[in-house]
Amino acid sequence: MALDMLREIQAFVSVAHKRSFVSAARSLGRSPSAVTRAVQALEDNSGAKLFNRSANAVSLTEAGERLLPHAERLLDVQRDAADELAALTGDAQGWIRLAAPEVLAQQVLPGVLAAFSQRHPRVTLDVQYSDQAVDPLQGKLDFVIRGAFPQSSELIGYPLWRYRRHLYASPQYLAQAGMPQELEDLERHALILHTAPRILKAWHFSKDGRISSLRPRPRLRLGSGVAVLQSTLAGAGIARLADWLGEPQVRAGHLVRVCPDYHLTSSNGHDPQMHAVYPAGDLPARARELLQALREARPHPGEQP
């Protein structure tokens, strides 16, 4: 299949799914004019109008409705063919560019990346560590790993692992400040707040299926998850941490879980998850393999640091 026709079909399928030329262009990493030209070329070659366009909406014509399932199958065939060719060579090659929270540089990612590099020595890995909400399109990344709760967006979500959040403090801090038992007690304590990717106005706690909220008044505000963990270990105060970070430190005697009957959730009681996001379209087979390896390497709260 000619490369130009493949790009035209990709543009057509993306516009059909997004119902917007601008959104389709954003998801494909192209300009809106380029996507418009690709769809127009496909319409010219097929001799049929594929979309009804108005100022406020884009919808498929009857011809577009009939073409869509065939176009989707063509893209599936192209993706499968690329994977088969990679399997025949037995040696993936190219770049994988990703971004991940800083804390994953201390756990999970180093081991996964080392094993992946050994299996695929011709793949170059380019990793940006940042606690900010990096946009994979703007950063020209294959995917971005994020924590907490998936945001509604035009990006594709890939769940990695679920976890819970609890409050933790060092034994030294608690020896000086005392152990809080109820949420109201936290107002008299030094709280550490993680400010990236955004500043939370409230912490939401779940106990016996009931949600309570507390507006934290932090003594220490930090834009790095690694800094939050290290400051908590150093005795700076009480922090909200993921259980896969906090519980190994509890087992080692470095931290204590505070208000242990509670865990922190979203405002509607959902637990957070680590997940990856990437633009709509073809994700290279080597990137999909790396994501699967990350999912399989998910940490457990009982693991030692």
Side-chain angles (χ1 to χ4, degrees):
M1 182 183 298
L3 181 59
D4 286 346
M5 180 171 286
L6 180 61
R7 289 173 66 85
E8 292 165 8
I9 291 173
Q10 287 174 329
F12 164 71
V13 170
S14 185
V15 173
H17 289 169
K18 299 293 185 182
R19 305 289 181 176
S20 165
F21 281 82
V22 173
S23 296
R26 189 176 300 121
S27 68
L28 292 171
R30 305 185 205 171
S31 67
S33 60
V35 170
T36 300
R37 287 195 301 271
V39 171
Q40 288 175 342
L42 187 60
E43 289 179 326
D44 292 342
N45 291 331
S46 64
K49 183 180 179 182
L50 301 176
F51 291 105
N52 295 309
R53 302 166 175 85
S54 70
N56 299 318
V58 174
S59 62
L60 286 165
T61 62
E62 181 180 356
E65 293 281 3
R66 291 189 178 188
L67 177 61
L68 182 58
H70 300 289
E72 291 171 332
R73 283 197 295 272
L74 282 171
L75 293 182
D76 288 340
V77 169
Q78 184 271 335
R79 187 181 302 110
D80 292 342
D83 289 349
E84 287 294 329
L85 288 174
L88 284 173
T89 64
D91 187 14
Q93 57 183 301
W95 287 77
I96 300 178
R97 297 177 172 88
L98 65 135
E102 280 188 77
V103 72
L104 288 184
Q106 293 193 331
Q107 292 194 40
V108 186
L109 260 182
V112 170
L113 297 180
F116 189 88
S117 292
Q118 290 175 358
R119 290 197 304 273
H120 302 296
R122 298 179 68 186
V123 173
T124 301
L125 296 164
D126 183 348
V127 185
Q128 301 176 21
Y129 286 105
S130 173
D131 286 356
Q132 299 298 323
V134 178
D135 186 332
L137 281 169
Q138 292 183 356
K140 297 183 179 179
L141 304 170
D142 290 293
F143 60 85
V144 172
I145 302 172
R146 296 176 180 172
F149 309 100
Q151 302 294 314
S152 175
S153 73
E154 296 166 347
L155 302 173
I156 305 299
Y158 185 98
L160 295 171
W161 67 82
R162 290 194 174 277
Y163 60 96
R164 283 191 166 183
R165 285 171 167 161
H166 302 282
L167 296 179
Y168 297 91
S170 71
Q172 297 92 331
Y173 171 83
L174 294 174
Q176 295 175 352
M179 169 68 84
Q181 296 297 330
E182 297 296 331
L183 300 184
E184 294 78 11
D185 299 336
L186 294 173
E187 296 180 1
R188 299 189 295 273
H189 283 266
L191 302 182
I192 302 171
L193 186 65
H194 188 193
T195 60
R198 60 192 180 92
I199 299 175
L200 293 177
K201 295 181 179 180
W203 283 348
H204 305 289
F205 296 84
S206 177
K207 178 183 178 181
D208 300 328
R210 299 183 61 184
I211 305 297
S212 304
S213 296
L214 172 74
R215 181 181 288 269
R217 295 183 176 87
R219 189 80 55 82
L220 190 60
R221 297 183 3 158
L222 301 168
S224 159
V226 172
V228 170
L229 175 60
Q230 295 301 323
S231 295
T232 309
L233 290 168
I238 298 172
R240 182 191 68 163
L241 298 172
D243 56 6
W244 56 273
L245 287 172
E247 291 305 310
Q249 300 291 347
V250 171
R251 291 167 61 89
H254 300 150
L255 292 179
V256 176
R257 193 192 294 184
V258 175
C259 298
D261 294 335
Y262 296 88
H263 68 276
L264 291 101
T265 68
S266 67
S267 58
N268 52 13
H270 292 160
D271 288 328
Q273 69 174 10
M274 296 301 297
H275 57 281
V277 293
Y278 57 90
D282 293 338
L283 192 64
R286 58 186 179 273
R288 294 200 301 273
E289 181 181 343
L290 180 55
L291 282 175
Q292 181 60 32
L294 283 167
R295 178 183 282 174
E296 294 173 355
R298 61 186 180 276
H300 300 283
E303 293 179 352
Q304 292 292 336

